[in-house]
Amino acid sequence: MRQVGMRVGALAKRIGISVRALHHYDQVGLLSPARRSEAGYRLYSDGDIRRLQQIRSLQQLGLSLEEIRDLLDNRHVAPLTVIDLHLARVRQQVVQAQNLVDRLQQLAGHLHASACIDVEEALQTLEVMQMMEQHYTPEQLETLRGRAQELGAERIHTVEEVEWPTLIEQVRAALDSGQDPASPPVQQLAQRWMALVREFSGGDPGIERASMGFLREMHDSGDPRIDPRMSEYMAYIGKAMASNRGQK
Amino acid sequence: MRQVGMRVGALAKRIGISVRALHHYDQVGLLSPARRSEAGYRLYSDGDIRRLQQIRSLQQLGLSLEEIRDLLDNRHVAPLTVIDLHLARVRQQVVQAQNLVDRLQQLAGHLHASACIDVEEALQTLEVMQMMEQHYTPEQLETLRGRAQELGAERIHTVEEVEWPTLIEQVRAALDSGQDPASPPVQQLAQRWMALVREFSGGDPGIERASMGFLREMHDSGDPRIDPRMSEYMAYIGKAMASNRGQK
DNA sequence: TCAACTCTGACGCCGCGTTACTGTCG
DNA sequence: ACGACAGTAACGCGGCGTCAGAGTTG
């Protein structure tokens, strides 16, 4: 019995694998049975079984069938290199999956907090968060989080949904009516603008600079949540602030 | 320009995606352009762009295209559930990847330590380690590791490669020559057997019991590294030990 | 007319799962 | 002659990459 070798079904059951898998290994040249019966049945030798066990072990380490074949067949591929490279890959996977977990937790947090918030809204929040993580340094993010807590969710909501839109609209009106940036009304708008920015940045110049890049990036990417004329407004307010500094 | 919509190439460049991907999204009904030109060119509206951005965001969270479609199309699939479920999946991924890292590090350690050790040898070590992790409790493993350090690598090697094989061979000879398990020579072999087991188990009865299951498992799985008559030897030695206890 | 773009259609990847149909063994 | 096996061949999954060949646009 042992001499003639095992057939696919028996081997599959013994190792805990599917017959199809064995067929596949044969097909790709990873494990071909030592012999065939007259009827063409695959007959696996003890050596084949050992090889199969090695294959399974290496598979559980996450190696691809091709890598396993190279490892077991070619002595010239250094196991050290293969394993070390693979280790680096898997480490990378862990990091990325962990990042995913973090972001998903944030999103889940938003969803649970705001009860029946819809996907789009949560996604907007998430997108902004991701953008922020790209544009601010970790310390700046820390500072911003601190400011946000001081201000409270209500105040933030008011500013984002009421005060900024109102201010932007006033700036647009002033710009379109051709008012001089140095004129008192526009100066007042500029003051208000700076006040709002300061309220969130906490006066940190690094954060204010980063915010500029952040806004420009969102604008350039054509984000429809950003007023397409935002750069005009910013230039206009910039002139107003410059004339103010000039006067002083 | 904005009214007629963007064509694939432009949209692809703007979002940072391939044209093929957009074709694919259209094919699977994830994102179909608002209109088509007379020549059949896909023309994407601003709404399409927003949707595409949402798609990309959800993709970066690791959701499948199908899940994304369901989330964005059907309001009846609760985002909470989808996200929470996915979060659980990704957490699982992290755990498994971390386990992989641990095992790979062990393997890499063996490879680096024994310089030019070949794959098979390292794999054997690894397989045994995995078997051990299944059969011993974490505390037992801790104990075993402690014992192994006390004994030193050299002593372990001697026992595994010389003393055990020698003892097993003597037991086989005694068994095959039909010696009475209660006879003094066999009693001595049993003493030696127990001494070797105690040297590694540290006398912990839980470990000794687990080791029995461990050996039997390896034997039943037909591992060619285990002497196929091992269970015979164990029964024989068991009798010897029993007769010893009976005498006492 | 030419380049740059667009279209559709089809195969390839990886590790098999899943039919579907035919042949062999006891 | 039947049922439990074996064989080969083929498509399918996910998310596109990558041709190939033909038509459109500026």
Side-chain angles (χ1 to χ4, degrees):
Chain A
M1 280 291 163
R2 223 32 181 322
Q3 280 82 356
V4 304
M6 302 181 81
R7 302 195 301 205
V8 268
L11 181 55
K13 199 171 294 176
R14 175 157 158 185
I15 302 295
I17 198 180
S18 73
V19 171
R20 177 66 178 96
L22 287 171
H23 284 173
H24 185 62
Y25 296 163
D26 194 359
Q27 219 168 10
V28 300
L30 175 58
L31 175 63
S32 298
R35 314 191 305 105
R36 292 266 191 155
S37 78
E38 294 177 26
Y41 286 15
R42 272 166 261 253
L43 298 176
Y44 293 90
S45 71
D46 286 5
D48 292 334
I49 299 176
R50 270 197 296 279
R51 185 176 168 101
L52 180 53
Q53 280 166 335
Q54 295 177 347
I55 290 172
R56 296 254 73 189
S57 297
L58 290 169
Q59 246 187 323
Q60 285 175 10
L61 293 177
L63 294 171
S64 74
L65 297 190
E66 194 182 353
E67 287 169 324
I68 296 175
R69 199 180 42 192
D70 292 350
L71 263 182
L72 295 181
D73 287 350
N74 308 333
R75 297 338 209 168
H76 68 266
V77 289
L80 277 165
T81 317
V82 179
I83 298 298
D84 284 348
L85 265 156
H86 183 58
L87 180 53
R89 284 199 313 238
V90 181
R91 280 219 181 93
Q92 190 61 24
Q93 275 185 27
V94 172
V95 172
Q96 288 182 346
Q98 191 54 61
N99 283 341
L100 263 192
V101 167
D102 292 346
R103 293 208 308 243
L104 280 166
Q105 274 181 336
Q106 287 188 358
L107 180 57
H110 281 287
L111 286 172
H112 281 286
S114 313
C116 211
I117 198 173
D118 69 342
V119 208
E120 300 190 25
E121 216 169 322
L123 273 183
Q124 280 192 6
T125 316
L126 202 72
E127 280 175 46
V128 172
M129 289 193 319
Q130 284 176 232
M131 287 287 261
M132 284 176 66
E133 279 176 19
Q134 285 179 0
H135 280 277
Y136 297 109
T137 69
E139 308 102 55
Q140 289 176 343
L141 282 169
E142 200 46 54
T143 308
L144 283 172
R145 263 193 286 273
R147 284 301 294 162
Q149 259 201 339
E150 285 176 41
L151 294 168
E154 208 173 320
R155 173 65 187 152
I156 292 173
H157 186 262
T158 310
V159 172
E160 282 180 352
E161 302 298 322
V162 181
E163 304 205 8
W164 264 115
T166 307
L167 178 58
I168 295 274
E169 172 55 23
Q170 290 173 340
V171 171
R172 189 201 58 74
L175 175 62
D176 287 349
S177 66
Q179 285 195 42
D180 183 353
S183 69
V186 181
Q187 285 295 317
Q188 259 207 332
L189 291 179
Q191 294 285 341
R192 179 127 188 72
W193 184 294
M194 286 195 292
L196 282 180
V197 169
R198 284 242 175 72
E199 189 171 355
F200 282 76
S201 71
D204 185 323
I207 290 184
E208 290 183 14
R209 242 180 294 117
S211 302
M212 291 297 172
F214 182 26
L215 268 178
R216 195 146 35 82
E217 177 84 13
M218 290 187 73
H219 181 260
D220 290 348
S221 79
D223 190 314
R225 293 191 304 271
I226 298 289
D227 189 319
R229 296 181 59 195
M230 188 51 114
S231 55
E232 287 181 57
Y233 308 150
M234 284 173 64
Y236 187 62
I237 290 294
K239 275 186 208 162
M241 297 195 300
S243 81
N244 184 18
R245 270 198 298 276
Q247 273 187 340
K248 277 196 177 173
Chain B
M1 281 289 166
R2 224 23 179 333
Q3 280 83 357
V4 303
M6 300 181 83
R7 304 197 302 206
V8 267
L11 181 55
K13 198 170 295 178
R14 175 156 156 186
I15 302 294
I17 199 182
S18 73
V19 171
R20 178 66 178 98
L22 287 172
H23 284 172
H24 185 62
Y25 296 163
D26 194 359
Q27 222 167 10
V28 299
L30 175 59
L31 175 64
S32 299
R35 314 193 304 106
R36 292 265 192 157
S37 77
E38 294 177 24
Y41 284 18
R42 274 165 260 253
L43 298 177
Y44 292 89
S45 71
D46 285 6
D48 293 333
I49 299 177
R50 271 196 297 278
R51 185 175 167 100
L52 181 54
Q53 280 166 335
Q54 294 177 347
I55 290 172
R56 295 255 73 192
S57 297
L58 290 170
Q59 245 188 324
Q60 286 175 10
L61 292 178
L63 294 170
S64 73
L65 296 189
E66 195 182 353
E67 288 169 322
I68 295 175
R69 199 180 42 192
D70 292 349
L71 262 182
L72 294 182
D73 287 351
N74 309 334
R75 297 336 208 172
H76 68 265
V77 290
L80 277 166
T81 316
V82 178
I83 298 297
D84 284 349
L85 264 157
H86 183 57
L87 181 52
R89 285 200 311 238
V90 180
R91 280 217 182 93
Q92 190 61 23
Q93 276 186 26
V94 172
V95 173
Q96 288 182 346
Q98 190 55 60
N99 283 341
L100 264 192
V101 167
D102 293 346
R103 292 206 310 242
L104 281 166
Q105 273 181 337
Q106 287 187 355
L107 180 58
H110 281 286
L111 287 171
H112 280 288
S114 312
C116 213
I117 198 174
D118 69 343
V119 209
E120 302 190 23
E121 216 169 322
L123 272 184
Q124 280 193 6
T125 316
L126 203 71
E127 280 176 45
V128 172
M129 289 194 318
Q130 284 176 231
M131 287 287 260
M132 286 176 65
E133 279 176 20
Q134 284 179 3
H135 281 276
Y136 298 108
T137 68
E139 308 101 55
Q140 289 177 342
L141 282 169
E142 199 47 53
T143 309
L144 283 171
R145 263 193 286 273
R147 286 299 296 162
Q149 258 201 341
E150 284 175 42
L151 294 168
E154 209 173 320
R155 172 67 187 150
I156 292 175
H157 186 261
T158 311
V159 172
E160 283 180 353
E161 302 299 321
V162 181
E163 304 204 8
W164 265 116
T166 306
L167 178 57
I168 295 273
E169 172 54 22
Q170 290 172 343
V171 171
R172 190 200 57 74
L175 174 63
D176 286 349
S177 66
Q179 284 194 45
D180 182 354
S183 69
V186 181
Q187 285 295 318
Q188 259 208 333
L189 291 178
Q191 294 285 342
R192 178 129 189 70
W193 184 294
M194 285 194 294
L196 281 181
V197 168
R198 283 243 175 73
E199 189 172 354
F200 282 78
S201 71
D204 184 322
I207 290 184
E208 290 182 14
R209 242 180 295 116
S211 301
M212 290 297 171
F214 181 26
L215 266 178
R216 195 147 33 83
E217 176 84 13
M218 288 187 75
H219 181 259
D220 290 349
S221 79
D223 190 314
R225 294 191 303 270
I226 299 289
D227 189 319
R229 297 180 58 194
M230 188 52 113
S231 54
E232 287 181 57
Y233 307 151
M234 284 173 64
Y236 187 62
I237 290 293
K239 276 186 211 162
M241 296 195 300
S243 78
N244 185 19
R245 271 197 297 275
Q247 275 187 335
K248 275 197 179 175

